[in-house]
Amino acid sequence: MKLTRHNLIVVTPVYEDVEASSRLFRELSVQFKGDVFVVAVDDGSVKQPLDIASLEQSGVDGVVLKLRRNVGHQRAIAIGLGYVSEYIQPGQRVVVMDSDGEDVPATITSLLEQLEADDIDLVVAQRKSRVETFRFKAFYAVYKVFFSMMTGRAISFGNFMALKASSVKRLVAMQELSIHIAGAVLASKLRTAVCPLDRGERYAGQSKMNFVGLVLHGFKGLMVFAEDVLVRVGIACAVIAAFSVIGAVAAIILKLLGFSTPGWFSVALGILVLMLLQTGALALMTLMLTGVIRSGTVTTALAYQDFIASVTETDNGVHQA
């Protein structure tokens, strides 16, 4: 197993993007001069399936995990980390990065330098500058505020990160990892450092994620903290229900004192009672969902082997069904 011979392991998902990923492999080979092992997860590509030749021609050791179907880049990364966790040695370091060029290989050393500290388990890249559209920047700014309001946590990083071996083993034991990588990092309670880095430009082609996919990705981040979100929704419902009761009492008092116009009392009381019933029902559903999540029956930890169709390693060409 060549994975154990290298100090650095890079996990990267690839989906219909052979040109960009091949350039990433070449840059990794030049920068680390052979002391890097690449775990490339082919996320069910059909038009441009990733071949082991891309790694061999770039001069890096590595393995291609070909998945049975497209599972999305978050789960693809989780599968790659699951594979690494079976073989990784205590002194090795792991970097998770996208293969499109937006995570710049030259900045990996900055992440690894901070990771050397004994009191740091994981280093995440925080973007100093962005090259996305105005719509993306506006959505991301609103999302960060909404995420903080609903979960009580701040999120300002993505998939680009460096981890120690112990951190990899901890993360793969979390059921949240396949849902949202950054959310799982926040929930892991690992000692995390932030490294400000500039974002690069894509090597080739266009991003496969559209706006709908981006919104879905954002909501998956909230799913990691479903309990916190449900508790906050429940509190909001209770507050609205309390105001509804106060409003109904005030309407009754005004009616008894003769300060209401004809028809006003019945309309106001009907609306307030409807608000009370709706918020009460929503609060009850929230309480039940929180109990279901606490029981651990909603999701289970990822069994990554079930998604892998084949494993192909450089040079000796190992294949597994």
Side-chain angles (χ1 to χ4, degrees), residues 68-95:
R68 299 182 189 278
R69 62 180 178 85
N70 178 247
V71 298
H73 73 311
Q74 297 293 285
R75 181 164 291 187
I77 292 173
I79 291 170
L81 289 175
Y83 176 83
V84 170
S85 70
E86 287 204 2
Y87 306 102
I88 192 170
Q89 301 301 308
Q92 291 181 297
R93 301 290 183 260
V94 176
V95 168

Short mmCIF file of all heavy atoms in Angstrom, two decimals, residues 68-95:
data_model
loop_
_atom_site.label_atom_id
_atom_site.label_comp_id
_atom_site.label_asym_id
_atom_site.label_seq_id
_atom_site.Cartn_x
_atom_site.Cartn_y
_atom_site.Cartn_z
N ARG A 68 -20.07 3.98 -7.75
CA ARG A 68 -21.11 3.32 -8.54
C ARG A 68 -22.06 4.33 -9.17
O ARG A 68 -22.65 4.06 -10.22
CB ARG A 68 -21.90 2.36 -7.65
CG ARG A 68 -21.05 1.25 -7.06
CD ARG A 68 -21.90 0.30 -6.22
NE ARG A 68 -21.06 -0.64 -5.49
CZ ARG A 68 -20.56 -1.74 -6.01
NH1 ARG A 68 -20.84 -2.06 -7.26
NH2 ARG A 68 -19.80 -2.54 -5.28
N ARG A 69 -22.25 5.48 -8.53
CA ARG A 69 -23.15 6.51 -9.05
C ARG A 69 -22.72 7.86 -8.53
O ARG A 69 -21.85 7.95 -7.66
CB ARG A 69 -24.60 6.23 -8.64
CG ARG A 69 -24.82 6.24 -7.13
CD ARG A 69 -26.26 5.95 -6.79
NE ARG A 69 -26.49 5.90 -5.36
CZ ARG A 69 -26.73 6.97 -4.59
NH1 ARG A 69 -26.78 8.18 -5.14
NH2 ARG A 69 -26.93 6.84 -3.29
N ASN A 70 -23.32 8.90 -9.06
CA ASN A 70 -23.03 10.25 -8.59
C ASN A 70 -23.70 10.47 -7.23
O ASN A 70 -24.92 10.33 -7.09
CB ASN A 70 -23.54 11.27 -9.60
CG ASN A 70 -23.31 12.70 -9.15
OD1 ASN A 70 -24.24 13.42 -8.86
ND2 ASN A 70 -22.05 13.10 -9.08
N VAL A 71 -22.90 10.81 -6.22
CA VAL A 71 -23.44 10.98 -4.87
C VAL A 71 -23.30 12.40 -4.35
O VAL A 71 -23.73 12.70 -3.23
CB VAL A 71 -22.74 10.02 -3.88
CG1 VAL A 71 -22.97 8.57 -4.27
CG2 VAL A 71 -21.24 10.31 -3.82
N GLY A 72 -22.70 13.29 -5.17
CA GLY A 72 -22.48 14.66 -4.70
C GLY A 72 -21.10 14.80 -4.07
O GLY A 72 -20.57 13.83 -3.50
N HIS A 73 -20.52 16.01 -4.16
CA HIS A 73 -19.11 16.13 -3.78
C HIS A 73 -18.89 16.03 -2.28
O HIS A 73 -17.83 15.60 -1.84
CB HIS A 73 -18.50 17.41 -4.35
CG HIS A 73 -18.93 18.67 -3.69
ND1 HIS A 73 -20.23 19.00 -3.43
CD2 HIS A 73 -18.18 19.71 -3.25
CE1 HIS A 73 -20.27 20.19 -2.86
NE2 HIS A 73 -19.06 20.64 -2.73
N GLN A 74 -19.90 16.33 -1.44
CA GLN A 74 -19.72 16.18 -0.01
C GLN A 74 -19.58 14.71 0.38
O GLN A 74 -18.67 14.32 1.12
CB GLN A 74 -20.89 16.81 0.74
CG GLN A 74 -21.02 18.30 0.52
CD GLN A 74 -19.85 19.08 1.13
OE1 GLN A 74 -19.74 19.25 2.32
NE2 GLN A 74 -18.97 19.58 0.26
N ARG A 75 -20.47 13.87 -0.15
CA ARG A 75 -20.40 12.44 0.16
C ARG A 75 -19.17 11.81 -0.50
O ARG A 75 -18.56 10.89 0.06
CB ARG A 75 -21.68 11.74 -0.30
CG ARG A 75 -21.69 10.25 0.02
CD ARG A 75 -23.08 9.67 -0.07
NE ARG A 75 -23.92 10.16 1.02
CZ ARG A 75 -25.14 9.71 1.27
NH1 ARG A 75 -25.65 8.75 0.53
NH2 ARG A 75 -25.85 10.20 2.26
N ALA A 76 -18.81 12.32 -1.68
CA ALA A 76 -17.61 11.78 -2.35
C ALA A 76 -16.37 12.03 -1.49
O ALA A 76 -15.50 11.15 -1.35
CB ALA A 76 -17.45 12.43 -3.72
N ILE A 77 -16.28 13.22 -0.90
CA ILE A 77 -15.15 13.52 0.01
C ILE A 77 -15.20 12.60 1.23
O ILE A 77 -14.17 12.08 1.67
CB ILE A 77 -15.18 15.00 0.43
CG1 ILE A 77 -14.87 15.91 -0.76
CG2 ILE A 77 -14.18 15.26 1.56
CD1 ILE A 77 -15.05 17.39 -0.47
N ALA A 78 -16.40 12.40 1.78
CA ALA A 78 -16.54 11.51 2.94
C ALA A 78 -16.09 10.10 2.61
O ALA A 78 -15.45 9.43 3.44
CB ALA A 78 -18.00 11.52 3.42
N ILE A 79 -16.39 9.63 1.41
CA ILE A 79 -15.96 8.30 0.99
C ILE A 79 -14.44 8.25 0.88
O ILE A 79 -13.79 7.29 1.31
CB ILE A 79 -16.63 7.93 -0.36
CG1 ILE A 79 -18.13 7.71 -0.14
CG2 ILE A 79 -15.98 6.69 -0.97
CD1 ILE A 79 -18.93 7.59 -1.43
N GLY A 80 -13.84 9.31 0.30
CA GLY A 80 -12.38 9.37 0.21
C GLY A 80 -11.73 9.36 1.58
O GLY A 80 -10.73 8.65 1.80
N LEU A 81 -12.28 10.12 2.52
CA LEU A 81 -11.72 10.13 3.88
C LEU A 81 -11.93 8.78 4.57
O LEU A 81 -11.08 8.33 5.35
CB LEU A 81 -12.38 11.25 4.70
CG LEU A 81 -11.99 12.68 4.31
CD1 LEU A 81 -12.81 13.70 5.11
CD2 LEU A 81 -10.50 12.92 4.54
N GLY A 82 -13.05 8.14 4.30
CA GLY A 82 -13.28 6.81 4.87
C GLY A 82 -12.24 5.81 4.39
O GLY A 82 -11.73 4.99 5.17
N TYR A 83 -11.90 5.91 3.10
CA TYR A 83 -10.85 5.03 2.54
C TYR A 83 -9.51 5.32 3.20
O TYR A 83 -8.79 4.40 3.61
CB TYR A 83 -10.78 5.25 1.03
CG TYR A 83 -9.67 4.47 0.35
CD1 TYR A 83 -9.85 3.13 -0.01
CD2 TYR A 83 -8.44 5.07 0.08
CE1 TYR A 83 -8.84 2.43 -0.62
CE2 TYR A 83 -7.42 4.37 -0.53
CZ TYR A 83 -7.63 3.04 -0.89
OH TYR A 83 -6.61 2.34 -1.49
N VAL A 84 -9.16 6.58 3.32
CA VAL A 84 -7.88 6.98 3.91
C VAL A 84 -7.79 6.52 5.37
O VAL A 84 -6.73 6.07 5.83
CB VAL A 84 -7.69 8.50 3.81
CG1 VAL A 84 -6.48 8.96 4.63
CG2 VAL A 84 -7.52 8.92 2.36
N SER A 85 -8.88 6.61 6.10
CA SER A 85 -8.85 6.30 7.53
C SER A 85 -8.47 4.85 7.81
O SER A 85 -8.02 4.52 8.90
CB SER A 85 -10.22 6.61 8.16
OG SER A 85 -11.19 5.69 7.71
N GLU A 86 -8.66 3.97 6.84
CA GLU A 86 -8.32 2.56 7.05
C GLU A 86 -6.82 2.30 7.02
O GLU A 86 -6.34 1.31 7.55
CB GLU A 86 -9.01 1.70 6.00
CG GLU A 86 -10.51 1.56 6.22
CD GLU A 86 -11.06 0.31 5.56
OE1 GLU A 86 -10.27 -0.45 4.96
OE2 GLU A 86 -12.28 0.12 5.63
N TYR A 87 -6.08 3.20 6.34
CA TYR A 87 -4.65 2.93 6.12
C TYR A 87 -3.73 3.99 6.72
O TYR A 87 -2.52 3.79 6.81
CB TYR A 87 -4.37 2.84 4.62
CG TYR A 87 -5.24 1.85 3.90
CD1 TYR A 87 -6.33 2.29 3.13
CD2 TYR A 87 -5.02 0.48 3.99
CE1 TYR A 87 -7.15 1.38 2.47
CE2 TYR A 87 -5.83 -0.44 3.34
CZ TYR A 87 -6.89 0.03 2.58
OH TYR A 87 -7.70 -0.88 1.93
N ILE A 88 -4.25 5.13 7.11
CA ILE A 88 -3.41 6.26 7.51
C ILE A 88 -2.61 5.93 8.77
O ILE A 88 -3.09 5.23 9.67
CB ILE A 88 -4.28 7.53 7.71
CG1 ILE A 88 -3.38 8.76 7.84
CG2 ILE A 88 -5.20 7.39 8.92
CD1 ILE A 88 -4.16 10.06 7.79
N GLN A 89 -1.38 6.47 8.82
CA GLN A 89 -0.49 6.30 9.96
C GLN A 89 -0.48 7.59 10.80
O GLN A 89 -0.77 8.68 10.28
CB GLN A 89 0.92 5.97 9.47
CG GLN A 89 0.99 4.72 8.62
CD GLN A 89 0.50 3.48 9.35
OE1 GLN A 89 0.96 3.19 10.45
NE2 GLN A 89 -0.44 2.76 8.74
N PRO A 90 -0.11 7.50 12.08
CA PRO A 90 -0.21 8.66 12.98
C PRO A 90 0.52 9.92 12.49
O PRO A 90 0.04 11.02 12.68
CB PRO A 90 0.40 8.14 14.28
CG PRO A 90 0.14 6.68 14.25
CD PRO A 90 0.27 6.27 12.83
N GLY A 91 1.66 9.78 11.84
CA GLY A 91 2.43 10.97 11.46
C GLY A 91 2.02 11.59 10.14
O GLY A 91 2.53 12.65 9.76
N GLN A 92 1.09 10.98 9.43
CA GLN A 92 0.71 11.50 8.11
C GLN A 92 -0.28 12.65 8.24
O GLN A 92 -0.99 12.78 9.22
CB GLN A 92 0.10 10.37 7.27
CG GLN A 92 1.13 9.32 6.85
CD GLN A 92 0.50 8.22 6.00
OE1 GLN A 92 -0.38 7.49 6.45
NE2 GLN A 92 0.97 8.11 4.77
N ARG A 93 -0.31 13.48 7.20
CA ARG A 93 -1.23 14.61 7.13
C ARG A 93 -2.14 14.45 5.91
O ARG A 93 -1.72 13.93 4.89
CB ARG A 93 -0.46 15.94 7.01
CG ARG A 93 0.48 16.19 8.20
CD ARG A 93 -0.32 16.48 9.46
NE ARG A 93 0.53 16.80 10.60
CZ ARG A 93 0.85 15.93 11.56
NH1 ARG A 93 0.38 14.68 11.52
NH2 ARG A 93 1.61 16.29 12.57
N VAL A 94 -3.37 14.92 6.03
CA VAL A 94 -4.35 14.81 4.95
C VAL A 94 -4.84 16.19 4.58
O VAL A 94 -5.12 17.02 5.46
CB VAL A 94 -5.55 13.93 5.38
CG1 VAL A 94 -6.62 13.89 4.28
CG2 VAL A 94 -5.09 12.52 5.72
N VAL A 95 -4.92 16.46 3.28
CA VAL A 95 -5.50 17.71 2.78
C VAL A 95 -6.72 17.37 1.93
O VAL A 95 -6.64 16.50 1.06
CB VAL A 95 -4.48 18.50 1.94
CG1 VAL A 95 -5.17 19.63 1.17
CG2 VAL A 95 -3.39 19.08 2.84
#
